[in-house]
Amino acid sequence: MSQTVIDLIMADHRDVEMLFEKLKSQPENRPALVAELAAKFVAHARAEETKVYPELAKADPSERGEVHHGVEEHHEAEELLAKLMEAGPDEAEFLTVLEKMVKAVSHHVEEEESGILPAMAKAIPADKLVKLGRVFSQAKAEELATPPRPVGRTKRELLEQAKEKGVQGCSSMTKEELAAALSG
Ligand SMILES: [Fe+2]
Ligand SMILES: [Fe+2]
C-alpha cells in the first residue's frame, strides 16, 4: 500500500517531536540537533505551503482560512527557530526558547492533524493523495538539497542586509524576494 501525503506529513510530525525530546535530553548534541531540526522543519513547511495546502484550498475552498492560518503558524515557528539558532550556550535561555518553540509547533501540528489533514482526506480522492505524497517528498528533497536560506528573519532585517549587499531594487521587494535575493 502506497503512502499518502497524509501518512508522510504525520511521520514528519513524529520525527520532529523526537528531535524535540533529544534537544531536551542531549545537551551535548544541541548544535547538530538544532541544525537538523531547522533543515527538516523548513523543508516540511515549504513543501506543505507550495504543494499540499494549495491542493486543499482548491478541493475545498471553505478550508482557505485554515490553510492561511497554517502558513502564519509556520512563520511564527520559524521566528522561534531563528532565536533557537542564535541562543548562546546559556542553558536556561536555550530551554526557554525551546519550550516556546515546542509549544508553538505542538499547537500547529494538532491543528493540522485535527483540521487540515482530515479535510484533505475528505476532499481529495485516495489515489490523488498518494500522488501528492510523491510530490510532497520531491519538494522536500529539493528544499533539503538547496543551501539554507535566511530563516525566520524579519523583513526589516532582510532589507538591511540586502542594502548592505547592494541588492538592486531591494526596497520594493517582498520578504520572500529579499530572502531569495540574499540566498542567491
Ligand atoms: Fe505539517
Ligand atoms: Fe504545517
Side-chain angles (χ1 to χ4, degrees):
M1 182 60 195
S2 302
Q3 286 190 308
T4 67
V5 68
I6 296 174
D7 302 324
L8 295 170
I9 285 177
M10 287 179 68
D12 281 356
H13 292 169
R14 302 293 87 79
D15 189 29
V16 161
E17 283 161 6
M18 231 165 59
L19 277 173
F20 283 150
E21 286 311 310
K22 284 190 193 164
L23 276 162
K24 285 181 205 163
S25 65
Q26 302 175 11
E28 70 283 7
N29 293 329
R30 273 181 194 154
L33 289 167
V34 169
E36 187 182 346
L37 175 69
K40 285 181 170 173
F41 184 91
V42 172
H44 177 94
R46 286 300 88 73
E48 281 182 345
E49 289 165 14
T50 58
K51 306 296 178 193
V52 183
Y53 288 180
E55 289 303 316
L56 175 60
K58 232 193 290 168
D60 182 354
S62 73
E63 288 293 326
R64 271 188 202 149
E66 199 60 42
V67 159
H68 183 75
H69 180 66
V71 174
E72 277 176 359
E73 288 185 342
H74 288 168
H75 291 158
E76 275 166 37
E78 280 172 54
E79 299 285 336
L80 289 166
L81 192 55
K83 282 198 188 133
L84 200 60
M85 291 169 98
E86 283 159 17
D90 183 74
E91 175 78 6
E93 186 199 346
F94 183 89
L95 288 176
T96 305
V97 182
L98 179 62
E99 220 32 73
K100 278 190 197 159
M101 167 110 193
V102 170
K103 219 173 140 193
V105 172
S106 306
H107 166 82
H108 173 66
V109 162
E110 210 209 298
E111 283 199 346
E112 222 166 58
E113 294 188 359
S114 66
I116 290 180
L117 300 184
M120 285 180 55
K122 218 169 125 191
I124 302 173
D127 60 326
K128 209 164 170 216
L129 288 174
V130 172
K131 250 188 237 163
L132 200 50
R134 284 195 288 269
V135 173
F136 173 73
S137 297
Q138 176 70 28
K140 249 178 34 179
E142 278 167 21
E143 188 71 39
L144 284 167
T146 53
R149 280 185 212 140
V151 173
R153 290 185 212 163
T154 63
K155 186 176 174 192
R156 203 183 55 200
E157 285 168 329
L158 292 173
L159 183 59
E160 273 165 22
Q161 283 176 9
K163 279 185 182 155
E164 271 168 34
K165 272 192 160 184
V167 174
Q168 292 260 319
C170 61
S171 11
S172 60
M173 285 181 177
T174 64
K175 186 179 172 187
E176 285 67 32
E177 285 166 343
L178 286 166
L182 285 167
S183 71

